[in-house]
């Protein structure tokens, strides 16, 4: 007993001596994004680090070594609050417009909040921060704090990198065989697909940089006239933690500064099922279809024809049951089938782990689909916006999902998709296989993240810096080298041509005179 006490004390002292103070800045008010960041910061706190978190999602219960700083709501609330009409309005243009303006420039204006501004201008020094972790999505203005406070900045992305994120750490995109996540996923890109991939990626990159250039003015307005601009702030990011993993997202080239921690939000400490819900699931002997469109969109606001298609399809598959997440049941149209059970919130991981849950109907959000993959549950994907299309396309290619179009599916299409997954065992087998490879890693995602965060703090912000950061895009693409080689080849061909002419004159001088004399006669 005494030995155990001593060992515990030694471990506690060791952990304290190697602990750091870390600030997390995650201002975007989308719960699906914060799922990853919240678990990341709680995981660091659990390992002994002192963490402060700026977000729109303060913890409901106190957590050791974890303190919240609430970010002001400067944009529309997105948790269970996005109607079908608003979703279509936001996605009517390119996704980059929403990300750069709503999730970028508007969020940066929150720096002017009195409490936030005072914190940013007078950071704590007891002790000071050893590192800052910032979501890289649209609000890149916060990356300037690293230069201001002279601490390393670590980026975090809850999705596979968007086109404008790669250049931050000079990560090789290789658009010849890696689809950017704003177009449909393809396993093997033909010429037209590679052409479209290249144009799409570069257009979105240039357009994002154009739209967010105004963040430089916001930075200097609130952090001082001598603060660095947004593009320079991006170039000082030490590394990026990205929510992907090669066994699921495919093998692709990475710089060491891109650390894959896909599925980091998946933890064993998720809430338990309520007694009533557990009883309902246990009694669903014919199987359960779990249906949710995530934490943002309200299904009950969809057009009546779409909801009717869901109603008709679910009624046809009875006695199979459907568990449906609906924030406001009272807003649902009449006609809900008897085999459908509706709740405003559910512990998703525990539901997906239940043996009676056979299919997950999803919009294709990365967090939820990773949980489904982790639990080995096949999916029916009905993507709505952003990277959800490429996510579902990826899962279709791996035979763990069937894709439907939200605006062009019938109740028969949905019934056929459900029937196929229930009866075709290849979907379940593929889901189990992908689940095993997704879990098969040398370290857990949170341990991987903590190791590399500690590595950057100990070795400095340039420890993983790519030499490509010092090159222009045309130098990275070797256009100067190819241009030089092309000129050399052309000069060589021209030299060969001149030498051939000279040689011809030297070797056949008489023939030339004879031909000339004949012409004179």
């Amino acid at each position: 007993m005494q030995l155990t006490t001593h060992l515990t004390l030694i471990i506690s002292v060791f952990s304290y001596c190697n602990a750091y103070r870390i600030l997390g800045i995650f201002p975007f008010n989308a719960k699906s994004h914060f799922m990853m960041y919240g678990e990341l910061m709680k995981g660091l706190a659990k390992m002994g680090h002192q963490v402060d978190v700026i977000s729109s999602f303060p913890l409901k219960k106190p957590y050791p070594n974890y303190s919240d700083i609430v970010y002001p709501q400067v944009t529309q609330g997105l948790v269970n609050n996005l109607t079908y009409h608003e979703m279509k309005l936001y996605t009517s243009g390119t996704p980059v417009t929403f990300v750069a303006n709503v999730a970028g420039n508007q969020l940066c204006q929150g720096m002017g909040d009195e409490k936030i501004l005072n914190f940013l201008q007078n950071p704590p020094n007891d002790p000071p921060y050893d590192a800052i972790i910032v979501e890289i999505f649209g609000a890149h203005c916060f990356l300037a704090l690293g230069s201001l406070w002279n601490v390393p900045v670590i980026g975090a992305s809850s999705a596979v990198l968007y086109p404008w994120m790669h250049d931050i750490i000079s990560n090789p995109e290789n658009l010849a065989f890696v689809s950017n996540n704003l177009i449909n996923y393809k396993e093997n890109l033909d010429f037209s697909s590679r052409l479209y991939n290249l144009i799409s990626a570069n257009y979105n990159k240039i357009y994002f940089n154009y739209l967010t250039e105004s963040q430089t003015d916001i930075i200097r307005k609130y952090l001082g006239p001598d603060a660095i601009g947004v593009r320079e702030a991006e170039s000082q990011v030490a590394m990026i933690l990205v929510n992907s993993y090669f066994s699921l997202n495919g093998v692709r080239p990475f710089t060491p500064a891109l650390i894959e921690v896909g599925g980091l939000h998946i933890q064993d400490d998720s809430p338990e099922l309520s007694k009533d819900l557990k009883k309902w699931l246990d009694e669903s002997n014919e199987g359960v279809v779990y249906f949710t469109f995530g934490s943002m969109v309200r299904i009950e606001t969809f057009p009546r024809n779409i909801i009717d298609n869901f109603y008709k399809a679910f009624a046809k598959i009875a006695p199979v049951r459907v568990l449906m997440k609906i924030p406001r049941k009272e807003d649902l149209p009449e006609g809900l089938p008897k085999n459908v059970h509706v709740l405003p919130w559910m512990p998703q991981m525990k539901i997906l782990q239940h043996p009676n849950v056979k299919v997950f109907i999803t919009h294709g959000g990365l967090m939820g689909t990773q949980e489904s993959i982790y639990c080995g549950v096949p999916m029916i994907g009905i993507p709505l916006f952003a990277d959800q299309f490429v996510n579902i396309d990826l899962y279709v290619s791996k035979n763990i999902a069937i894709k439907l179009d939200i605006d062009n599916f019938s109740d028969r299409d949905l019934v056929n998709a459900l029937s196929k997954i229930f009866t075709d065992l290849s979907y379940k087998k593929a889901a189990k296989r992908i689940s095993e490879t997704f879990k098969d890693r040398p370290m857990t995602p949170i341990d991987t993240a903590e190791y590399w965060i500690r590595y950057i703090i100990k070795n400095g912000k340039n420890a993983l810096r790519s030499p490509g950061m010092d090159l222009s895009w045309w130098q990275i693409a070797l256009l100067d080298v190819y241009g030089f080689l092309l000129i050399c080849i052309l000069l060589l061909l021209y030299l060969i041509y001149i030498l051939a002419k000279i040689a011809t004159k030297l070797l056949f001088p008489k023939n030339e005179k004879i031909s000339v004399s004949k012409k004179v006669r």
Side-chain angles (χ1 to χ4, degrees):
M1 186 73 176
Q2 197 171 17
L3 177 62
T4 305
T5 304
H6 286 151
L7 284 173
T8 304
L9 181 61
I10 291 169
I11 292 170
S12 299
V13 171
F14 181 79
S15 297
Y16 177 79
C17 292
N18 287 273
Y20 296 106
R21 187 169 192 183
I22 301 168
L23 173 66
I25 305 178
F26 315 110
F28 186 44
N29 56 339
K31 186 68 174 178
S32 57
H33 286 231
F34 190 72
M35 284 174 64
M36 172 185 172
Y37 308 134
E39 291 299 335
L40 169 64
M41 301 311 286
K42 283 196 292 184
L44 294 174
K46 192 175 181 180
M47 294 174 179
H49 302 289
Q50 181 182 347
V51 302
D52 300 324
V53 180
I54 298 177
S55 78
S56 300
F57 305 99
L59 299 182
K60 295 178 180 178
K61 296 179 181 179
Y63 199 90
N65 302 327
Y66 188 115
S67 64
D68 280 303
I69 301 166
V70 181
Y71 198 74
Q73 185 169 312
V74 293
T75 61
Q76 175 189 352
L78 296 176
V79 179
N80 294 329
N81 198 40
L82 200 62
T83 66
Y84 178 87
H85 174 72
E86 289 167 335
M87 177 195 74
K88 288 296 184 181
L89 190 64
Y90 280 137
T91 58
S92 58
T94 60
V96 70
T97 306
F98 172 82
V99 175
N101 290 326
V102 179
N105 302 339
Q106 289 183 34
L107 279 184
C108 288
Q109 293 292 351
M111 278 185 170
D113 177 80
E114 184 179 354
K115 183 179 178 181
I116 298 297
L117 185 60
N118 182 61
F119 176 83
L120 298 180
Q121 293 178 344
N122 303 282
N125 289 301
D126 52 343
Y129 290 115
D130 297 292
I132 307 170
I133 303 175
V134 180
E135 176 178 21
I136 53 164
F137 187 52
H140 293 183
C141 50
F142 294 96
L143 299 174
L145 290 172
S147 173
L148 189 68
W149 295 352
N150 195 30
V151 292
V153 177
I154 295 165
S157 175
S158 61
V160 176
L161 294 192
Y162 286 95
W164 53 87
M165 298 176 182
H166 292 273
D167 289 348
I168 292 176
I169 53 172
S170 193
N171 186 64
E173 295 173 86
N174 211 318
L175 297 168
F177 64 91
V178 180
S179 300
N180 84 79
N181 64 343
L182 291 177
I183 66 172
N184 292 339
Y185 173 85
K186 282 190 178 180
E187 216 161 16
N188 298 305
L189 301 178
D190 55 21
F191 175 78
S192 60
S193 298
R194 284 184 281 122
L195 177 63
Y196 180 61
N197 194 25
L198 176 69
I199 293 172
S200 168
N202 284 286
Y203 167 78
N204 284 294
K205 190 183 302 184
I206 293 168
Y207 193 39
F208 176 86
N209 289 343
Y210 167 74
L211 292 175
T212 57
E213 191 58 43
S214 61
Q215 291 184 24
T216 293
D217 297 329
I218 299 172
I219 291 169
R220 290 171 180 164
K221 178 180 178 180
Y222 297 120
L223 301 183
D226 297 326
I228 61 176
V230 66
R231 301 284 89 89
E232 187 179 351
E234 289 173 343
S235 69
Q236 295 192 13
V237 170
M239 73 175 188
I240 296 174
L241 303 171
V242 62
N243 187 22
S244 66
Y245 196 61
F246 73 89
S247 66
L248 176 63
N249 299 96
V251 175
R252 56 189 68 192
F254 282 158
T255 173
L258 188 63
I259 310 299
E260 288 196 297
V261 291
L264 185 145
H265 69 288
I266 301 172
Q267 303 295 330
D268 294 330
D269 58 353
S270 58
E272 295 294 330
L273 297 169
S274 66
K275 288 183 180 179
D276 290 341
L277 181 55
K278 186 177 186 308
K279 183 174 182 295
W280 187 87
L281 288 169
D282 289 343
E283 293 174 351
S284 302
N285 297 319
E286 300 299 323
V288 173
V289 176
Y290 175 50
F291 178 22
T292 174
F293 276 168
S295 61
M296 293 173 63
V297 178
R298 293 174 52 212
I299 298 174
E300 59 271 34
T301 67
F302 279 44
R304 184 62 197 256
N305 67 302
I306 294 178
I307 293 178
D308 282 344
N309 283 333
F310 286 128
Y311 282 3
K312 291 175 185 176
F314 295 155
K316 289 177 181 177
I317 64 171
V320 172
R321 289 176 165 184
V322 179
L323 182 58
M324 194 172 179
K325 183 215 165 203
I326 299 293
R328 302 174 198 173
K329 183 181 178 181
E330 63 275 11
D331 292 341
L332 270 178
E334 294 181 358
L336 187 71
K338 293 180 180 179
N339 63 325
V340 178
H341 185 48
V342 173
L343 289 172
W345 179 88
M346 289 167 276
Q348 185 158 288
M349 272 298 293
K350 288 296 188 288
I351 290 169
L352 290 169
Q353 289 172 332
H354 196 282
N356 285 342
V357 174
K358 308 299 182 183
V359 186
F360 178 30
I361 299 180
T362 172
H363 62 311
L366 190 55
M367 302 298 173
T369 55
Q370 283 181 340
E371 291 174 1
S372 188
I373 288 163
Y374 189 89
C375 298
V377 178
M379 294 170 275
I380 293 176
I382 311 177
L384 304 176
F385 52 82
D387 64 338
Q388 296 163 11
F389 293 90
V390 73
N391 292 341
I392 296 301
D393 287 341
L394 171 64
Y395 306 148
V396 169
S397 74
K398 294 184 178 296
N399 199 42
I400 59 175
I402 295 173
K403 181 180 179 182
L404 298 178
D405 184 346
I406 187 64
D407 294 314
N408 294 293
F409 82 96
S410 65
D411 58 299
R412 180 181 295 179
D413 293 329
L414 183 53
V415 170
N416 289 341
L418 288 167
S419 176
K420 193 170 184 181
I421 288 183
F422 266 86
T423 58
D424 188 344
L425 296 180
S426 67
Y427 286 95
K428 183 65 178 178
K429 289 179 180 177
K432 283 187 174 181
R433 185 181 70 254
I434 298 296
S435 174
E436 289 169 2
T437 58
F438 189 61
K439 296 175 186 177
D440 190 2
R441 315 182 189 199
M443 297 169 66
T444 64
I446 185 61
D447 287 336
T448 302
E450 197 270 347
Y451 171 83
W452 287 107
I453 290 169
R454 187 187 291 274
Y455 183 90
I456 288 296
I457 293 172
K458 287 193 299 183
N459 297 292
K461 66 180 183 180
N462 293 324
L464 300 176
R465 190 176 190 274
S466 169
M469 295 295 295
D470 301 319
L471 300 175
S472 301
W473 67 269
W474 46 272
Q475 291 175 311
I476 293 174
L478 290 175
L479 293 183
D480 54 342
V481 174
Y482 293 138
F484 174 77
L485 291 175
L486 178 61
I487 291 170
C488 289
I489 292 170
L490 291 174
L491 288 174
L492 180 61
L493 291 174
Y494 181 70
L495 181 61
I496 292 172
Y497 170 73
I498 296 298
L499 291 174
K501 283 190 71 175
I502 294 171
T504 301
K505 288 180 180 180
L506 291 174
L507 292 173
F508 308 104
K510 291 181 180 180
N511 291 343
E512 188 176 346
K513 288 179 181 179
I514 291 169
S515 62
V516 171
S517 62
K518 282 181 179 180
K519 285 180 182 179
V520 173
R521 288 178 187 178

